[in-house]
Amino acid sequence: MKKLITTTLFISLLVLFSNNCYSQESQDYTYYYNLGYAKLVDGSFEKAIEIFNHTLELKPDCSEAYLGLGIAHRQLNQLEKALEATNKALETDPEYFKAYYNLGLIYEQIGNKQEALNAFKTFYKRVPEAKNIPDLKIRMKRLKD
């Protein structure tokens, strides 16, 4: 019985540590992504940009970090950089439909109503929880008028 438990434990650990999700690099990227997100939430946008850029050095294909970068740049009214980062999130992961909301906000700030409406429509159709965002329908209606 003891041998069976030891063998099971060994196999579990082997599977756990052979998974790429548990590599040191992955842990570092996750740590920095979460830190960047925390900086976004508390309004430290310059610091968030710095941290998301570091995240992307560790994991260049991290669409979430590109979106975070896009949000931070948008909040600082750096709209070209925001657009570039958000588009990079979609280029990295074409199925990352949550990025379309930020894309819509950017186009809305730029004054490109049609592109903003298209981005919001894509977000609304492809992200189930979009229907729970109160201002989305209001924004879409205002852009249609």
Side-chain angles (χ1 to χ4, degrees):
M1 181 69 168
K2 186 176 180 182
K3 185 174 182 177
L4 178 62
I5 293 171
T6 304
T7 304
T8 303
L9 181 60
F10 175 76
I11 291 171
S12 297
L13 289 173
L14 183 63
V15 169
L16 179 68
F17 289 108
S18 68
N19 186 334
N20 287 338
C21 292
Y22 294 97
S23 71
Q24 184 62 41
E25 178 183 338
S26 176
Q27 289 174 358
D28 290 345
Y29 127 77
T30 303
Y31 169 78
Y32 285 106
Y33 169 76
N34 289 332
L35 185 60
Y37 183 79
K39 294 299 176 185
L40 263 184
V41 171
D42 77 11
S44 302
F45 304 119
E46 291 91 357
K47 191 67 176 171
I49 289 169
E50 180 184 321
I51 294 167
F52 283 131
N53 279 325
H54 184 69
T55 303
L56 291 164
E57 289 173 11
L58 297 171
K59 187 167 173 55
D61 63 343
C62 182
S63 56
E64 295 89 349
Y66 281 114
L67 179 57
L69 200 56
I71 293 169
H73 281 299
R74 181 178 51 78
Q75 292 293 339
L76 294 170
N77 208 33
Q78 299 169 347
L79 299 180
E80 285 186 34
K81 290 179 178 180
L83 190 59
E84 182 182 325
T86 304
N87 280 325
K88 187 68 174 174
L90 289 165
E91 179 185 315
T92 304
D93 181 0
E95 300 293 310
Y96 191 44
F97 296 109
K98 291 180 180 182
Y100 281 97
Y101 185 73
N102 195 53
L103 196 59
L105 294 173
I106 296 165
Y107 281 128
E108 190 175 35
Q109 280 183 257
I110 291 171
N112 189 333
K113 289 183 176 185
Q114 189 57 52
E115 288 297 326
L117 184 59
N118 291 343
F120 287 140
K121 283 181 179 179
T122 300
F123 176 73
Y124 188 80
K125 289 177 188 173
R126 302 302 295 263
V127 180
E129 59 268 18
K131 293 162 182 56
N132 299 325
I133 299 176
D135 79 317
L136 181 61
K137 287 182 182 177
I138 295 167
R139 288 179 184 280
M140 289 170 59
K141 185 177 181 340
R142 189 176 62 232
L143 289 166
K144 286 179 186 177
D145 296 337

